[in-house]
Amino acid sequence: MPPHSVSGDELWDVDEGAVSAVPEIPEGEFLALHRSTGGKAVSFWETVSYREIAPLTEISDEEIAHVWYSDDEYAKIKEHVTATLKRVANGETPDLEDGFCMRGLEGRTKFGGRRRKNNKAAALDAVWSTQIQQWRKKQNNPIQIAAAYKPHSLRAKYPAIETGQRDERFVKDFIGPAAPIAAKKE
């Protein structure tokens, strides 16, 4: 369901200056991807496609029921996730044919949760220590802070790459070759 606390009287304040500073882009417009040549940089779209979304206060109850999960649906999802995690905790391998899959639940196991918590704490400690050193020297060096964080982000990066490659193999083996993706207007 949508956020229960949102009502017509509780809308967030919007900085009108910030909104008017955003250039208007024709709906559905696509342009080529901006590519960097260095290979280790972020790429951005020069323009983006977008679709206007009505504020929650202007969406009917019927539309909300079609878009958001109901409380009952959330409860069923939670039950299914709990059953999957219990199977894994008992040493069973989740069976896709029975509708059980660990995809996305890795951090919910005892081991995965502990690993994630420890990595986050170590990353926070590394960044915090670097910032304190910089403050004492009256410096501000974001590159040094990023360097302190990088080893901790790599602990998540490589497992994520492996998961992506495993997903790709699954799709190729069980679903077949992908059809060419054509750009389309939304």
Side-chain angles (χ1 to χ4, degrees):
M1 294 301 293
H4 296 289
S5 62
V6 176
S7 70
D9 300 329
E10 300 173 4
L11 297 177
W12 293 282
D13 292 328
V14 176
D15 178 2
E16 294 297 330
V19 173
S20 64
V22 176
E24 192 167 320
I25 301 169
E27 189 167 343
E29 183 174 328
F30 286 89
L31 289 182
L33 181 66
H34 170 74
R35 301 220 181 252
S36 63
T37 56
K40 289 188 176 183
V42 177
S43 296
F44 297 94
W45 289 95
E46 292 175 9
T47 60
V48 296
S49 64
Y50 73 100
R51 186 179 338 167
E52 295 265 347
I53 304 296
L56 187 57
T57 55
E58 295 177 14
I59 300 176
S60 72
D61 290 342
E62 183 180 341
E63 290 172 307
I64 288 173
H66 289 288
V67 175
W68 276 278
Y69 289 118
S70 69
D71 291 338
D72 289 340
E73 289 169 322
Y74 273 124
K76 287 178 184 174
I77 291 168
K78 187 174 179 179
E79 286 173 15
H80 193 76
V81 166
T82 301
T84 301
L85 292 172
K86 282 181 180 177
R87 282 180 163 212
V88 171
N90 291 332
E92 298 177 42
T93 302
D95 188 0
L96 282 176
E97 291 181 14
D98 291 337
F100 293 94
C101 174
M102 277 297 293
R103 181 70 173 95
L105 302 177
E106 298 87 353
R108 300 286 183 179
T109 64
K110 191 179 286 187
F111 173 76
R114 190 178 313 119
R115 183 181 59 195
R116 184 170 183 252
K117 182 179 179 179
N118 290 341
N119 192 50
K120 285 173 70 173
L124 178 63
D125 185 52
V127 169
W128 183 249
S129 298
T130 304
Q131 286 179 318
I132 288 173
Q133 290 172 3
Q134 289 182 12
W135 293 336
R136 287 180 179 152
K137 296 176 185 177
K138 298 188 187 312
Q139 295 177 341
N140 180 19
N141 185 342
I143 293 171
Q144 194 176 27
I145 293 170
Y149 179 75
K150 187 171 184 173
H152 305 284
S153 68
L154 292 177
R155 290 185 190 141
K157 177 182 178 179
Y158 293 113
I161 289 170
E162 288 174 11
T163 299
Q165 291 169 340
R166 210 170 31 249
D167 288 351
E168 181 181 18
R169 283 192 302 273
F170 175 84
V171 168
K172 286 179 179 176
D173 292 346
F174 294 102
I175 298 176
I181 298 173
K184 64 178 182 176
K185 292 185 180 181
E186 293 186 34

